[in-house]
Amino acid sequence: MAEFTLRLRRYDPESGEPAYWDEHVIELEPHRSVLEGILQARARFDGSIGIRCSCRAAICGSCGVRINGEPGLACHTHLDKAVASSTDGVIEVEPMGNMPVIKDLIVDMEAVHWKKIRAVTPWLLAREPVPEREYVVPRETMVDITQSMACIQCGACVSDCLAMEVDDEFIGPAALAKAYRFVGDPRDAEQEARLRELAEDEHGLYTCTHCFKCVDACPKGVDPMGQIMRLRRIAGNDQKIDDRNNGHRHEEAFVKNIERNGVLHEADLLTDSFGGKLNPRALPELLASAPAVVTAMRRGKVTPAKALLHHHKAPKGVKAIFKEVEGHAERYELNLYVSGRDEDDAPPAGTEASA
Amino acid sequence: MKVAYWPGCVSRGFTPELHGSMAKVAPLLDIELIELDRGNCCGAGVIAEHNQELADTLNARTFALAQQTDGELMMNICSTCQGAQSECQERLDANGEYREHVNRTLAPEGLTYAKGLANKNFLWLLVEEVGLDALRARVTRPLSGLRVGPFYGCYIVRPRSRIGIDADHPRDRYLEQVIDALGGTVIDYAGSHKCCGFPIITMNKQASLTQAGRHLGDAVDAAADCLVTPCPLCHLNLDLQQPLAERVVGRELKMPVLHLPQLVGLALGLEPKELGMNRHVVRPSSVIDWSTTVVAAAATATAD
């Protein structure tokens, strides 16, 4: 047995009082979970502490919280590990972010998370004709989508999504990972329609900023951002969906820019991402950027010559790579989740969940 | 030490002061830069969302060029290069068959990537190769009284396992350690490890500039004199776009943002102008005033 101090964020919207911190000293073996610590505090000291939980085994996804500022499952975090990650020896537990607090550590998953999950039609829209027996699908494809199927809907990725922090309408990492579960499923009939809807949504596929927060937040290794990038490759490169958010245009402009120059020529990228200098769509955007560009020129950051002339041409080797790789009949993609790692590259036993 | 040096694209494009200040600072730290001038763009995560194999092959090419030099390791000066290259390297190193496949594409140019290249951002090199004590010993003008907020850029701090953050390598605390070693005051504020918003500036401008504006505002509220970043793309959204970000968040910000080599150079005795600070959109007046005061104080002390 050891003593641990928990600092819990308490808040009851109905009371009219502001949120406050509450500390309790609990006694448990160090390998027990933060959840067990909270439940002990509730049983011994204060029956009004609000926490949602059910399975206590990282399966039901009910006890998502922030521990020392990082999102995770209270039942899946050992007390000794939690103390090690705290700054002052006290385990700090808060409700998840980006969702309204119902009470103490319980957030309103319905208002945010579930609403967004439902928005992506989270069920299979069967491809016709439905076979008499089973669909025959490649093993790799199904293993690939089991990664997003591993989601337990705990909301940890939603809690810490940095795009959602500034755009609460953003569809978010959990819903997009769920969307890939069906877009990547060869039995689904509506791949194109699903992608088009997400790509055209002003708060959809192209609002993810690549911040990797969801990758670290997920307790089940779903890699939501990895699934978002798969959706973008299929929507942009494979299906050529020309979305209103400049998502595909930006991707195309970037790729062409590097094929031409080898290194990025920013002045071209800006205009090409909006469809090119002569595109009517580009004009308002370019005008809006004009003050920044003028200041940059005044400071000698950019010279008119540098903005207009291309001094750097892509080396032959770079052009050859584009020709070879883009020339493949089918886009080839190594998925480490499916292929695994070479044995000599595997992390030492005990550092990762050994499967 | 000798390093194969990948400056990235933006440091030679819209933030030339970054490349310039790195060139000035390197000799003061006994770092010899072998510039990979035939290298190519890392893809910044965008090529990978077009075609992953293309991004992997392009980066394998730059890695192979680095391995042809006699540099001890490869060094970059851009968080985004670090993250995008680390992602490609993870796949290349994890699967021998894939590596061979990619190397076949590189073969006509006479290049091969051999597994296990060490590729470190200047920030990591400062702490892990130069060392904080050695850095401290080289400081000729401690940043005493200068209040500096760290701004990392997502690509250099996440995902933790790929970036190699562990108890022995707290790479998500290195900026704080470096600011401290240079004699500055570390400013703790909410945005230090968050996203600058740059990747979505053409797709969701409102969200992008709200991110930049909010972090800058938090730094203002924490009374920072300036921010420092190892990422030129963050610099674009935090400095070049700051006037637009001010409009989006509806407050004056005027927060100077320095590139990491500029901050190091200042402490190693270089002048703000030599470090290209006159090229920023937001004039680093607080930093220039600070350096003027320090120089004046030193002159008075010598005269006494």
Side-chain angles (χ1 to χ4, degrees):
Chain A
M1 286 289 192
E3 282 195 351
F4 295 93
T5 309
L6 302 179
R7 185 185 296 131
L8 308 178
R9 190 72 172 161
R10 306 292 305 275
Y11 177 54
D12 181 0
E14 286 174 16
S15 72
E17 300 296 319
Y20 62 97
W21 292 104
D22 188 14
E23 285 194 10
H24 295 289
V25 179
I26 52 109
E27 257 183 76
L28 275 172
E29 289 107 331
H31 67 272
R32 297 299 193 106
S33 70
V34 171
L35 176 63
E36 286 172 286
I38 297 168
L39 294 179
Q40 189 184 94
R42 186 168 73 178
R44 285 175 58 187
F45 310 115
D46 184 348
S48 74
I49 295 171
I51 170 92
R52 184 161 41 203
C53 66
S54 178
C55 77
R56 307 183 194 192
I59 291 167
C60 74
S62 302
C63 65
V65 287
R66 271 184 180 154
I67 299 169
N68 302 320
E70 299 295 333
L73 298 172
C75 74
H76 195 49
T77 310
H78 295 295
L79 287 161
D80 52 354
K81 291 256 170 64
V83 168
S85 72
S86 80
T87 47
D88 60 354
V90 175
I91 302 170
E92 201 166 274
V93 190
E94 298 166 86
M96 292 193 286
N98 284 333
M99 287 175 274
V101 175
I102 294 175
K103 185 173 187 301
D104 300 335
L105 304 173
I106 305 169
V107 297
D108 191 348
M109 298 278 286
E110 182 56 38
V112 180
H113 174 71
W114 290 112
K115 199 173 83 182
K116 291 174 191 293
I117 291 283
R118 276 196 295 272
V120 301
T121 319
W123 56 83
L124 193 84
L125 299 163
R127 190 175 283 281
E128 305 279 350
V130 176
E132 224 167 278
R133 292 164 64 95
E134 66 273 23
Y135 286 97
V136 179
V137 294
R139 180 187 169 276
E140 289 73 26
T141 318
M142 293 314 284
V143 174
D144 172 29
I145 59 170
T146 57
Q147 189 172 20
S148 39
M149 285 156 90
C151 174
I152 56 171
Q153 312 294 338
C154 68
C157 60
V158 172
S159 157
D160 277 47
C161 174
L162 294 180
M164 212 181 276
E165 199 175 87
V166 292
D167 178 358
D168 58 9
E169 289 180 69
F170 174 42
I171 187 83
L176 286 170
K178 178 59 81 184
Y180 181 71
R181 184 253 168 275
F182 297 104
V183 167
D185 192 326
R187 298 168 301 175
D188 194 89
E190 300 297 333
Q191 192 193 52
E192 205 264 341
R194 287 175 187 275
L195 286 165
R196 185 168 293 280
E197 195 173 323
L198 292 170
E200 289 285 13
D201 183 351
E202 285 173 19
H203 313 277
L205 185 55
Y206 291 108
T207 288
C208 164
T209 71
H210 299 186
C211 79
F212 302 93
K213 268 278 188 180
C214 55
V215 182
D216 277 350
C218 179
K220 304 303 269 187
V222 168
D223 184 16
M225 190 188 131
Q227 314 308 335
I228 296 171
M229 295 307 122
R230 291 198 172 93
L231 289 171
R232 286 191 183 176
R233 281 192 286 274
I234 304 171
N237 194 4
D238 298 352
Q239 307 256 3
K240 314 276 182 228
I241 295 174
D242 193 21
D243 59 284
R244 76 178 91 169
N245 304 304
N246 300 311
H248 176 47
R249 266 189 298 279
H250 178 66
E251 165 223 317
E252 284 270 284
F254 197 106
V255 171
K256 291 274 174 288
N257 198 307
I258 306 309
E259 185 175 13
R260 230 171 22 234
N261 307 311
V263 291
L264 188 66
H265 193 273
E266 300 106 321
D268 278 2
L269 180 66
L270 186 66
T271 48
D272 292 349
S273 293
F274 296 118
K277 291 184 190 79
L278 304 173
N279 191 314
R281 188 154 34 189
L283 192 65
E285 294 292 344
L286 295 178
L287 283 178
S289 319
V293 174
V294 169
T295 317
M297 287 196 175
R298 280 220 315 267
R299 300 276 196 274
K301 224 179 199 335
V302 190
T303 58
K306 202 158 105 179
L308 298 170
L309 303 175
H310 297 207
H311 298 294
H312 200 283
K313 290 275 173 275
K316 273 192 190 130
V318 169
K319 290 199 185 291
I321 289 172
F322 273 85
K323 200 169 167 213
E324 169 68 23
V325 177
E326 298 271 69
H328 293 173
E330 253 187 71
R331 192 163 54 73
Y332 175 62
E333 188 165 312
L334 177 74
N335 182 340
L336 290 177
Y337 184 78
V338 179
S339 73
R341 292 161 181 270
D342 291 349
E343 269 169 39
D344 61 342
D345 190 60
T351 56
E352 294 261 309
S354 46
Chain B
M1 72 182 305
K2 219 184 227 191
V3 299
Y5 170 47
W6 172 241
C9 309
V10 178
S11 77
R12 293 171 293 177
F14 273 18
T15 63
E17 67 279 2
L18 168 58
H19 189 39
S21 56
M22 188 65 237
K24 291 247 165 57
V25 165
L28 301 179
L29 294 167
D30 290 330
I31 301 171
E32 189 184 329
L33 305 174
I34 313 163
E35 191 169 330
L36 298 170
D37 46 14
R38 283 169 59 220
N40 49 258
C41 171
C42 72
V46 183
I47 293 186
E49 66 184 59
H50 168 79
N51 184 326
Q52 199 176 270
E53 185 196 350
L54 183 60
D56 292 351
T57 313
L58 286 169
N59 280 313
R61 180 177 176 275
T62 305
F63 299 156
L65 288 169
Q67 286 176 330
Q68 280 189 341
T69 70
D70 60 348
E72 285 172 50
L73 44 79
M74 176 169 147
M75 185 185 91
N76 64 76
I77 50 170
C78 172
S79 296
T80 303
C81 289
Q82 181 71 59
Q85 290 175 336
S86 295
E87 182 181 338
C88 295
Q89 193 183 359
E90 182 178 48
R91 282 188 288 270
L92 292 164
D93 284 3
N95 190 315
E97 216 173 293
Y98 184 60
R99 202 161 53 246
E100 278 172 33
H101 168 81
V102 167
N103 274 332
R104 274 196 293 278
T105 311
L106 298 183
E109 208 185 349
L111 294 171
T112 310
Y113 167 62
K115 174 184 173 170
L117 170 83
N119 174 26
K120 294 189 177 186
N121 183 273
F122 176 52
L123 175 64
W124 299 357
L125 191 109
L126 272 178
V127 178
E128 294 168 8
E129 308 294 331
V130 175
L132 290 167
D133 289 335
L135 178 64
R136 211 171 273 121
R138 286 172 194 263
V139 170
T140 56
R141 187 167 59 182
L143 305 178
S144 321
L146 191 67
R147 299 168 57 84
V148 188
F151 195 93
Y152 283 85
C154 302
Y155 273 92
I156 205 172
V157 287
R158 287 179 291 272
R160 293 172 68 84
S161 60
R162 184 190 294 152
I163 289 304
I165 297 174
D166 55 34
D168 297 330
H169 304 91
R171 289 173 165 173
D172 53 346
R173 303 296 300 166
Y174 281 3
L175 271 179
E176 285 86 339
Q177 295 177 357
V178 167
I179 295 167
D180 180 66
L182 299 176
T185 304
V186 178
I187 296 303
D188 190 19
Y189 70 108
S192 59
H193 292 70
K194 291 190 177 178
C195 180
C196 70
F198 182 75
I200 54 167
I201 187 76
T202 54
M203 278 95 89
N204 188 335
K205 200 176 201 172
Q206 178 73 19
S208 172
L209 293 176
T210 306
Q211 288 189 311
R214 200 176 277 183
H215 307 327
L216 291 161
D218 286 341
V220 171
D221 294 342
D225 290 321
C226 65
L227 296 184
V228 63
T229 182
C231 185
L233 301 187
C234 293
H235 198 271
L236 289 181
N237 236 33
L238 298 174
D239 177 65
L240 182 69
Q241 301 278 13
Q242 196 176 126
L244 289 177
E246 283 182 329
R247 261 189 261 165
V248 170
V249 295
R251 64 181 287 191
E252 188 178 83
L253 296 165
K254 298 273 179 294
M255 176 56 62
V257 186
L258 305 192
H259 300 284
L260 179 60
Q262 288 179 321
L263 190 79
V264 176
L266 208 58
L268 298 185
L270 298 173
E271 293 312 313
K273 198 164 178 186
E274 294 179 80
L275 294 163
M277 288 192 203
N278 51 324
R279 291 197 160 179
H280 294 193
V281 165
V282 179
R283 287 193 185 280
S285 314
S286 50
V287 180
I288 293 165
D289 291 350
W290 170 86
S291 77
T292 318
T293 321
V294 171
V295 172
T300 319
T302 321
D304 291 347

